[in-house]
Each structure stands twice: as C-alpha cells, then as structure tokens.
Amino acid sequence: MHCDADRRRNTLALDLAEPFKPLFAERLLKRTAAQKHLKPSDFETDVGRAALSKNGRKKIAALVKEELATTVYHRTLKRQVSYEELIHLEALKVVRLCLEDTPYKPFRPWW
C-alpha cells in the first residue's frame, strides 16, 4: 500500500484506484480518443502545458459517469454489479481489514 510520504495525498484513495486503472481509466481514454469525443477547443493550452477547458471537463465527467454505470457479472455475488459498486466493494474490504482484521485480498478482474 502507498505510504504517506509527507505529501498530504490521499494515499488510501490511490490504493483503491490502482487495480481499476487498466479496466476503467485507460479504457476510457482509449475510447475517448478513438471516438474523437474531444476537440482541440476542449483544451486550454499555455506555454509548456495543456489542460481541459470547462467544456472538456464536462464531456469527460459525462463519459466517466457513463463508464461507472457499466456492469459486469460478479461471480461471488451472482449478479450484475457496476464498476462504481466494484470500487465500493473494494473499499469495504479495506474497512473490514481495519475493523475486523479480515485478511485483505486485492481485487483482480476475472473477465
């Protein structure tokens, strides 16, 4: 797990996000690029850097919301769960580790 390293970052959030990056973020970025959702006008460029404009952030937020609603069949729960729920379930495993000393088994995609 991430350590604090005196950077005042939310390291627990980074730990929870790590297993979902290839499933969620990278796939979202590739799809956004392939479908050309973003235009040059969706970026603000300064010398040496670029950032999303307000309109670009709105587009990405809508795509993220849509992606979080994507469902997969959960073998243990025997029902469809959204990516959002998978992240919540992973957070609950960390809570159980802290409160009940239940061994933590990291998320691994099965599909």
Side-chain angles (χ1 to χ4, degrees):
M1 295 210 154
H2 289 86
C3 64
D4 187 12
D6 293 327
R7 292 190 178 165
R8 303 291 181 231
R9 293 186 183 178
N10 296 321
T11 58
L12 181 57
L14 294 173
D15 289 329
L16 289 172
E18 195 67 34
F20 296 97
K21 284 180 185 176
L23 293 174
F24 182 73
E26 292 172 10
R27 194 172 84 183
L28 179 71
L29 289 172
K30 287 179 183 176
R31 187 176 51 148
T32 301
Q35 295 178 357
K36 299 183 181 179
H37 285 287
L38 296 176
K39 310 269 185 270
S41 61
D42 293 324
F43 293 91
E44 297 172 349
T45 56
D46 290 336
V47 176
R49 73 176 191 102
L52 287 170
S53 66
K54 186 175 183 176
N55 191 40
R57 288 190 301 269
K58 284 182 181 179
K59 286 181 180 180
I60 292 295
L63 290 169
V64 167
K65 187 175 182 178
E66 180 183 314
E67 190 72 19
L68 282 172
T70 302
T71 61
V72 294
Y73 184 77
H74 196 289
R75 296 181 305 185
T76 307
L77 298 177
K78 295 183 173 46
R79 64 178 174 91
Q80 294 287 116
V81 295
S82 66
Y83 280 152
E84 186 174 14
E85 191 173 358
L86 281 175
I87 295 168
H88 178 75
L89 292 169
E90 193 67 13
L92 288 176
K93 286 197 278 186
V94 173
V95 169
R96 286 189 198 106
L97 168 69
C98 296
L99 297 178
E100 302 170 4
D101 204 25
T102 305
Y104 176 74
K105 185 178 176 188
F107 175 79
R108 292 213 190 338
W110 56 85
W111 60 94

